[in-house]
Amino acid sequence: MKSPFFNEKHASLRQSVRTFIEKEVFPNAREWENSGRIPRELWLKMGEEKFLGINYSSKLGGRGEDLFSSFVFLEELSNSTLGGFTAAVNMHQFLALAYIDRFASEELQKKYL
């Protein structure tokens, strides 16, 4: 059934996130779980793909997407079944960055968003 809320842009994002997880996350997940750490390089790659700025302004380096894009992102993260990874990315994306977006100075927003 076709959804009135999700469109081709959402489908494209879904595939991008899924491909990223398959290529960059799955091959390394066990190592990260054992070390208790997600390497900085992965965060940088996610930033380059703008997965960490889906719902933040494009003028600050985000995608400027709608709420449903965030849902797509969250769904694909949870489909990975990697609890630690999913929790870490969610905390970064939807808690830490949310405070910077809402309360930080323009200078800090430009630096971190």
Side-chain angles (χ1 to χ4, degrees), residues 69-89:
S69 295
S70 294
F71 295 160
V72 165
F73 182 70
L74 289 169
E75 286 174 355
E76 286 306 312
L77 285 178
S78 65
N79 286 341
S80 76
T81 69
L82 302 169
F85 172 75
T86 298
V89 173

PDB file of all heavy atoms in Angstrom, residues 69-89:
ATOM      1  N   SER A  69      11.434  11.938   7.203  1.00  0.00           N
ATOM      2  CA  SER A  69      12.804  11.515   6.894  1.00  0.00           C
ATOM      3  C   SER A  69      13.493  11.020   8.155  1.00  0.00           C
ATOM      4  O   SER A  69      14.254  10.055   8.118  1.00  0.00           O
ATOM      5  CB  SER A  69      13.590  12.662   6.274  1.00  0.00           C
ATOM      6  OG  SER A  69      13.050  13.007   5.027  1.00  0.00           O
ATOM      7  N   SER A  70      13.219  11.684   9.273  1.00  0.00           N
ATOM      8  CA  SER A  70      13.767  11.212  10.547  1.00  0.00           C
ATOM      9  C   SER A  70      13.218   9.834  10.884  1.00  0.00           C
ATOM     10  O   SER A  70      13.941   8.975  11.380  1.00  0.00           O
ATOM     11  CB  SER A  70      13.431  12.191  11.675  1.00  0.00           C
ATOM     12  OG  SER A  70      14.090  13.413  11.475  1.00  0.00           O
ATOM     13  N   PHE A  71      11.935   9.605  10.620  1.00  0.00           N
ATOM     14  CA  PHE A  71      11.338   8.296  10.861  1.00  0.00           C
ATOM     15  C   PHE A  71      12.027   7.222  10.026  1.00  0.00           C
ATOM     16  O   PHE A  71      12.328   6.126  10.513  1.00  0.00           O
ATOM     17  CB  PHE A  71       9.845   8.294  10.550  1.00  0.00           C
ATOM     18  CG  PHE A  71       9.006   9.168  11.435  1.00  0.00           C
ATOM     19  CD1 PHE A  71       7.755   9.566  11.028  1.00  0.00           C
ATOM     20  CD2 PHE A  71       9.458   9.601  12.672  1.00  0.00           C
ATOM     21  CE1 PHE A  71       6.962  10.371  11.822  1.00  0.00           C
ATOM     22  CE2 PHE A  71       8.677  10.406  13.486  1.00  0.00           C
ATOM     23  CZ  PHE A  71       7.422  10.783  13.064  1.00  0.00           C
ATOM     24  N   VAL A  72      12.268   7.537   8.764  1.00  0.00           N
ATOM     25  CA  VAL A  72      12.945   6.591   7.870  1.00  0.00           C
ATOM     26  C   VAL A  72      14.324   6.253   8.427  1.00  0.00           C
ATOM     27  O   VAL A  72      14.724   5.083   8.488  1.00  0.00           O
ATOM     28  CB  VAL A  72      13.053   7.179   6.439  1.00  0.00           C
ATOM     29  CG1 VAL A  72      14.051   6.408   5.598  1.00  0.00           C
ATOM     30  CG2 VAL A  72      11.686   7.215   5.779  1.00  0.00           C
ATOM     31  N   PHE A  73      15.057   7.271   8.829  1.00  0.00           N
ATOM     32  CA  PHE A  73      16.389   7.082   9.391  1.00  0.00           C
ATOM     33  C   PHE A  73      16.330   6.184  10.626  1.00  0.00           C
ATOM     34  O   PHE A  73      17.095   5.225  10.746  1.00  0.00           O
ATOM     35  CB  PHE A  73      16.986   8.450   9.731  1.00  0.00           C
ATOM     36  CG  PHE A  73      18.378   8.401  10.278  1.00  0.00           C
ATOM     37  CD1 PHE A  73      19.443   8.058   9.470  1.00  0.00           C
ATOM     38  CD2 PHE A  73      18.626   8.731  11.593  1.00  0.00           C
ATOM     39  CE1 PHE A  73      20.736   8.028   9.964  1.00  0.00           C
ATOM     40  CE2 PHE A  73      19.912   8.709  12.106  1.00  0.00           C
ATOM     41  CZ  PHE A  73      20.967   8.357  11.288  1.00  0.00           C
ATOM     42  N   LEU A  74      15.414   6.479  11.530  1.00  0.00           N
ATOM     43  CA  LEU A  74      15.276   5.684  12.753  1.00  0.00           C
ATOM     44  C   LEU A  74      14.890   4.241  12.456  1.00  0.00           C
ATOM     45  O   LEU A  74      15.396   3.312  13.087  1.00  0.00           O
ATOM     46  CB  LEU A  74      14.234   6.320  13.672  1.00  0.00           C
ATOM     47  CG  LEU A  74      14.647   7.632  14.323  1.00  0.00           C
ATOM     48  CD1 LEU A  74      13.450   8.304  14.979  1.00  0.00           C
ATOM     49  CD2 LEU A  74      15.764   7.404  15.324  1.00  0.00           C
ATOM     50  N   GLU A  75      13.994   4.055  11.507  1.00  0.00           N
ATOM     51  CA  GLU A  75      13.586   2.704  11.131  1.00  0.00           C
ATOM     52  C   GLU A  75      14.765   1.894  10.609  1.00  0.00           C
ATOM     53  O   GLU A  75      14.950   0.729  10.972  1.00  0.00           O
ATOM     54  CB  GLU A  75      12.490   2.741  10.073  1.00  0.00           C
ATOM     55  CG  GLU A  75      11.148   3.144  10.597  1.00  0.00           C
ATOM     56  CD  GLU A  75      10.114   3.319   9.497  1.00  0.00           C
ATOM     57  OE1 GLU A  75      10.453   3.219   8.295  1.00  0.00           O
ATOM     58  OE2 GLU A  75       8.955   3.559   9.845  1.00  0.00           O
ATOM     59  N   GLU A  76      15.561   2.508   9.750  1.00  0.00           N
ATOM     60  CA  GLU A  76      16.698   1.784   9.181  1.00  0.00           C
ATOM     61  C   GLU A  76      17.759   1.489  10.233  1.00  0.00           C
ATOM     62  O   GLU A  76      18.375   0.427  10.203  1.00  0.00           O
ATOM     63  CB  GLU A  76      17.289   2.531   7.990  1.00  0.00           C
ATOM     64  CG  GLU A  76      16.425   2.449   6.769  1.00  0.00           C
ATOM     65  CD  GLU A  76      16.074   1.020   6.371  1.00  0.00           C
ATOM     66  OE1 GLU A  76      16.972   0.158   6.303  1.00  0.00           O
ATOM     67  OE2 GLU A  76      14.878   0.758   6.133  1.00  0.00           O
ATOM     68  N   LEU A  77      17.975   2.412  11.150  1.00  0.00           N
ATOM     69  CA  LEU A  77      18.913   2.127  12.237  1.00  0.00           C
ATOM     70  C   LEU A  77      18.431   0.939  13.058  1.00  0.00           C
ATOM     71  O   LEU A  77      19.200   0.032  13.364  1.00  0.00           O
ATOM     72  CB  LEU A  77      19.076   3.345  13.155  1.00  0.00           C
ATOM     73  CG  LEU A  77      19.898   4.502  12.639  1.00  0.00           C
ATOM     74  CD1 LEU A  77      19.910   5.619  13.671  1.00  0.00           C
ATOM     75  CD2 LEU A  77      21.318   4.085  12.313  1.00  0.00           C
ATOM     76  N   SER A  78      17.163   0.950  13.422  1.00  0.00           N
ATOM     77  CA  SER A  78      16.641  -0.140  14.249  1.00  0.00           C
ATOM     78  C   SER A  78      16.604  -1.462  13.484  1.00  0.00           C
ATOM     79  O   SER A  78      16.769  -2.524  14.083  1.00  0.00           O
ATOM     80  CB  SER A  78      15.269   0.199  14.811  1.00  0.00           C
ATOM     81  OG  SER A  78      14.317   0.319  13.789  1.00  0.00           O
ATOM     82  N   ASN A  79      16.431  -1.416  12.177  1.00  0.00           N
ATOM     83  CA  ASN A  79      16.460  -2.639  11.377  1.00  0.00           C
ATOM     84  C   ASN A  79      17.835  -3.291  11.374  1.00  0.00           C
ATOM     85  O   ASN A  79      17.966  -4.475  11.070  1.00  0.00           O
ATOM     86  CB  ASN A  79      16.025  -2.367   9.933  1.00  0.00           C
ATOM     87  CG  ASN A  79      14.541  -2.154   9.815  1.00  0.00           C
ATOM     88  OD1 ASN A  79      13.768  -2.534  10.684  1.00  0.00           O
ATOM     89  ND2 ASN A  79      14.129  -1.516   8.738  1.00  0.00           N
ATOM     90  N   SER A  80      18.857  -2.520  11.716  1.00  0.00           N
ATOM     91  CA  SER A  80      20.207  -3.080  11.756  1.00  0.00           C
ATOM     92  C   SER A  80      20.359  -4.073  12.908  1.00  0.00           C
ATOM     93  O   SER A  80      21.269  -4.885  12.887  1.00  0.00           O
ATOM     94  CB  SER A  80      21.247  -1.970  11.899  1.00  0.00           C
ATOM     95  OG  SER A  80      21.279  -1.474  13.231  1.00  0.00           O
ATOM     96  N   THR A  81      19.491  -4.004  13.895  1.00  0.00           N
ATOM     97  CA  THR A  81      19.514  -4.831  15.113  1.00  0.00           C
ATOM     98  C   THR A  81      20.793  -4.656  15.925  1.00  0.00           C
ATOM     99  O   THR A  81      21.128  -5.511  16.742  1.00  0.00           O
ATOM    100  CB  THR A  81      19.267  -6.329  14.831  1.00  0.00           C
ATOM    101  OG1 THR A  81      20.383  -6.868  14.119  1.00  0.00           O
ATOM    102  CG2 THR A  81      17.980  -6.561  14.052  1.00  0.00           C
ATOM    103  N   LEU A  82      21.493  -3.573  15.726  1.00  0.00           N
ATOM    104  CA  LEU A  82      22.696  -3.268  16.499  1.00  0.00           C
ATOM    105  C   LEU A  82      22.331  -2.244  17.564  1.00  0.00           C
ATOM    106  O   LEU A  82      22.369  -1.037  17.328  1.00  0.00           O
ATOM    107  CB  LEU A  82      23.801  -2.738  15.586  1.00  0.00           C
ATOM    108  CG  LEU A  82      24.220  -3.667  14.454  1.00  0.00           C
ATOM    109  CD1 LEU A  82      25.111  -2.945  13.459  1.00  0.00           C
ATOM    110  CD2 LEU A  82      24.906  -4.902  15.010  1.00  0.00           C
ATOM    111  N   GLY A  83      21.942  -2.717  18.722  1.00  0.00           N
ATOM    112  CA  GLY A  83      21.412  -1.857  19.768  1.00  0.00           C
ATOM    113  C   GLY A  83      22.334  -0.741  20.204  1.00  0.00           C
ATOM    114  O   GLY A  83      21.919   0.406  20.336  1.00  0.00           O
ATOM    115  N   GLY A  84      23.595  -1.052  20.467  1.00  0.00           N
ATOM    116  CA  GLY A  84      24.538  -0.030  20.920  1.00  0.00           C
ATOM    117  C   GLY A  84      24.762   1.044  19.876  1.00  0.00           C
ATOM    118  O   GLY A  84      24.758   2.238  20.180  1.00  0.00           O
ATOM    119  N   PHE A  85      24.963   0.617  18.657  1.00  0.00           N
ATOM    120  CA  PHE A  85      25.163   1.564  17.556  1.00  0.00           C
ATOM    121  C   PHE A  85      23.928   2.445  17.373  1.00  0.00           C
ATOM    122  O   PHE A  85      24.022   3.664  17.291  1.00  0.00           O
ATOM    123  CB  PHE A  85      25.479   0.802  16.266  1.00  0.00           C
ATOM    124  CG  PHE A  85      25.519   1.680  15.050  1.00  0.00           C
ATOM    125  CD1 PHE A  85      26.593   2.522  14.830  1.00  0.00           C
ATOM    126  CD2 PHE A  85      24.483   1.661  14.134  1.00  0.00           C
ATOM    127  CE1 PHE A  85      26.626   3.336  13.705  1.00  0.00           C
ATOM    128  CE2 PHE A  85      24.508   2.469  13.007  1.00  0.00           C
ATOM    129  CZ  PHE A  85      25.589   3.317  12.803  1.00  0.00           C
ATOM    130  N   THR A  86      22.763   1.825  17.344  1.00  0.00           N
ATOM    131  CA  THR A  86      21.516   2.561  17.150  1.00  0.00           C
ATOM    132  C   THR A  86      21.301   3.577  18.266  1.00  0.00           C
ATOM    133  O   THR A  86      20.962   4.733  18.010  1.00  0.00           O
ATOM    134  CB  THR A  86      20.322   1.588  17.075  1.00  0.00           C
ATOM    135  OG1 THR A  86      20.516   0.733  15.953  1.00  0.00           O
ATOM    136  CG2 THR A  86      19.009   2.307  16.929  1.00  0.00           C
ATOM    137  N   ALA A  87      21.527   3.165  19.496  1.00  0.00           N
ATOM    138  CA  ALA A  87      21.354   4.080  20.636  1.00  0.00           C
ATOM    139  C   ALA A  87      22.326   5.251  20.554  1.00  0.00           C
ATOM    140  O   ALA A  87      21.937   6.404  20.770  1.00  0.00           O
ATOM    141  CB  ALA A  87      21.540   3.318  21.943  1.00  0.00           C
ATOM    142  N   ALA A  88      23.583   4.968  20.225  1.00  0.00           N
ATOM    143  CA  ALA A  88      24.587   6.041  20.150  1.00  0.00           C
ATOM    144  C   ALA A  88      24.234   7.060  19.074  1.00  0.00           C
ATOM    145  O   ALA A  88      24.309   8.274  19.300  1.00  0.00           O
ATOM    146  CB  ALA A  88      25.971   5.440  19.882  1.00  0.00           C
ATOM    147  N   VAL A  89      23.839   6.584  17.908  1.00  0.00           N
ATOM    148  CA  VAL A  89      23.493   7.502  16.816  1.00  0.00           C
ATOM    149  C   VAL A  89      22.239   8.306  17.168  1.00  0.00           C
ATOM    150  O   VAL A  89      22.178   9.518  16.934  1.00  0.00           O
ATOM    151  CB  VAL A  89      23.320   6.742  15.483  1.00  0.00           C
ATOM    152  CG1 VAL A  89      22.798   7.669  14.389  1.00  0.00           C
ATOM    153  CG2 VAL A  89      24.635   6.115  15.062  1.00  0.00           C
TER     154      VAL A  89
END
